[in-house]
Amino acid sequence: MTAEHSTFWDDLAEDLQDPEFLRHYVVESIRIATVDRIVNALDEARDAADLSKAALARAISADPAVVRRLFSAGHVNPTLGTLAEVAGALGMRITLEPLPPDERKSVTEPLLEGRAADTRALAEHLSGLRGGKPRPAAA
């Protein structure tokens, strides 16, 4: 780990001592990871169905640009309605699942309490989620 990388994690861990910043960071990290996971799964299903973005847009009566942005933009924030419509057109549906107990403890407790026992471990765990490769949850 480089000194610059270590400084980033140290600074972030310090920023996470602020309950408002911590809650915002956790919420955004979970939102980004969740939306990315859903959009990637829908795009894989679209590819597997050999369905073009334009055909998918027609199926849900949407502007083709909406579907292109959904699958092409780096930072999308689609509505749940749009995701559900796309999923339905692909023969899928959006569902909820509980977090595993260790992740629930490392994510939910900081949101509810506004603090984390190990802010650096929390930051690294959330970074792993945002990158699509979850790391072991903080204890």
Side-chain angles (χ1 to χ4, degrees):
M1 182 182 301
T2 67
E4 183 178 306
H5 186 74
S6 179
T7 300
F8 168 80
W9 290 111
D10 291 344
D11 289 347
L12 181 56
E14 185 176 323
D15 289 341
L16 289 170
Q17 297 293 329
D18 174 4
E20 185 175 337
F21 181 88
L22 179 137
R23 285 186 174 112
H24 181 73
Y25 188 82
V26 172
V27 165
E28 285 302 302
S29 296
I30 296 299
R31 183 189 63 76
I32 290 166
T34 301
V35 169
D36 284 353
R37 190 169 290 130
I38 292 170
V39 169
N40 289 338
L42 291 173
D43 200 25
E44 289 171 10
R46 183 190 62 77
D47 282 342
D50 199 28
L51 195 61
S52 71
K53 293 172 188 169
L56 182 55
R58 279 191 301 277
I60 64 169
S61 300
D63 186 322
V66 170
V67 174
R68 273 195 313 275
R69 276 192 308 271
L70 178 65
F71 295 124
S72 302
H75 302 286
V76 296
N77 191 16
T79 66
L80 183 56
T82 298
L83 294 173
E85 291 168 6
V86 169
L90 295 168
M92 304 173 86
R93 68 174 158 219
I94 309 294
T95 60
L96 294 175
E97 64 183 16
L99 294 172
D102 59 339
E103 191 168 351
R104 181 180 291 221
K105 179 175 177 50
S106 69
V107 171
T108 305
E109 287 182 10
L111 279 174
L112 296 175
E113 298 172 9
R115 60 184 170 79
D118 185 345
T119 55
R120 184 168 179 148
L122 174 64
E124 290 179 1
H125 175 69
L126 293 171
S127 178
L129 290 178
R130 289 170 93 157
K133 296 177 188 143
R135 300 174 188 214

